[in-house]
Amino acid sequence: VLDLAVLGVVSEQARSAAEVITVVKRLGGGRFQPTSDVIAGRMGKLVEAGLLAPVPDDDGDEVRWQPTASGRAHVQRLLMMPSAPPLDALAAVCACLKICFLEVLDPEARDAVLDDLMAAHRRALRQAVAALSACPCRCISVQRYLAREVERWESELSWLEALAGDLAPAGAWRRE
């Protein structure tokens, strides 16, 4: 998750360590709040692995970081990994990061990631529908809570479909 977050942030543009830390902390919202030391430590490991490299700065004041060719390939592999339904916190953060960094990918790969994310959301929706229909408890609060979960997954899926449409060139994206 940290590799995807750090490499995704610097794939958009070269950034200082402080900028990377700030953006990574914002991306995860309440679900993913690594400390500054953890993010900086992971950046160090990415440098050691040859996935992150310093960029000369015109002013020479601050080191800026960008992915190496290996780092770009690594972030693309991470983005293309199959998605689990975003039911738990880790899967939800991974889905969040994949959505945030879609524009790092070429259009064909971006479509594949969106299709995968939508398939994962459809699985979560099917699970929510099954939970609602199979729940033996008929308490109004239980039924409403389970129905709300169905509505939430329907809304998430609709939002992803709209995003796919916004990113597609002239309506090229297909709805499945």
Side-chain angles (χ1 to χ4, degrees):
V1 172
L2 275 173
D3 286 6
L4 180 55
V6 170
L7 291 170
V9 166
V10 297
S11 290
E12 180 193 10
Q13 69 182 37
R15 297 181 191 272
S16 70
E19 290 171 320
V20 171
I21 289 167
T22 298
V23 175
V24 168
K25 284 183 168 190
R26 286 188 182 147
L27 284 176
R31 296 181 187 150
F32 179 63
Q33 287 292 310
T35 65
S36 299
D37 289 342
V38 169
I39 298 167
R42 191 64 207 153
M43 288 178 70
K45 296 290 185 189
L46 292 170
V47 171
E48 288 175 17
L51 301 174
L52 192 61
V55 180
D57 188 13
D58 294 338
D59 300 333
D61 294 340
E62 196 169 29
V63 175
R64 300 186 90 57
W65 299 94
Q66 69 181 13
T68 62
S70 297
R72 284 189 294 280
H74 185 58
V75 77
Q76 292 209 0
R77 276 191 305 276
L78 293 172
L79 287 166
M80 299 297 294
M81 289 176 69
S83 298
L87 300 171
D88 62 61
L90 183 59
V93 169
C94 288
C96 164
L97 294 174
K98 285 183 176 189
I99 291 166
C100 288
F101 302 126
L102 280 170
E103 293 166 274
V104 169
L105 300 169
D106 63 61
E108 187 174 302
R110 183 172 48 227
D111 288 348
V113 171
L114 280 165
D115 287 344
D116 176 65
L117 285 167
M118 285 186 271
H121 278 70
R122 284 187 197 98
R123 288 191 303 274
L125 174 58
R126 283 193 300 273
Q127 289 174 346
V129 168
L132 175 61
S133 64
C135 184
C137 182
R138 293 294 160 209
C139 298
I140 191 71
S141 56
V142 170
Q143 290 296 305
R144 285 194 177 179
Y145 177 80
L146 293 174
R148 175 65 191 116
E149 283 295 294
V150 170
E151 292 170 5
R152 183 172 70 88
W153 289 113
E154 289 171 339
S155 175
E156 289 270 331
L157 188 56
S158 176
W159 182 86
L160 275 173
E161 290 170 344
L163 176 64
D166 291 344
L167 292 175
W173 185 80
R174 69 214 180 284
R175 184 174 177 160
E176 291 181 7

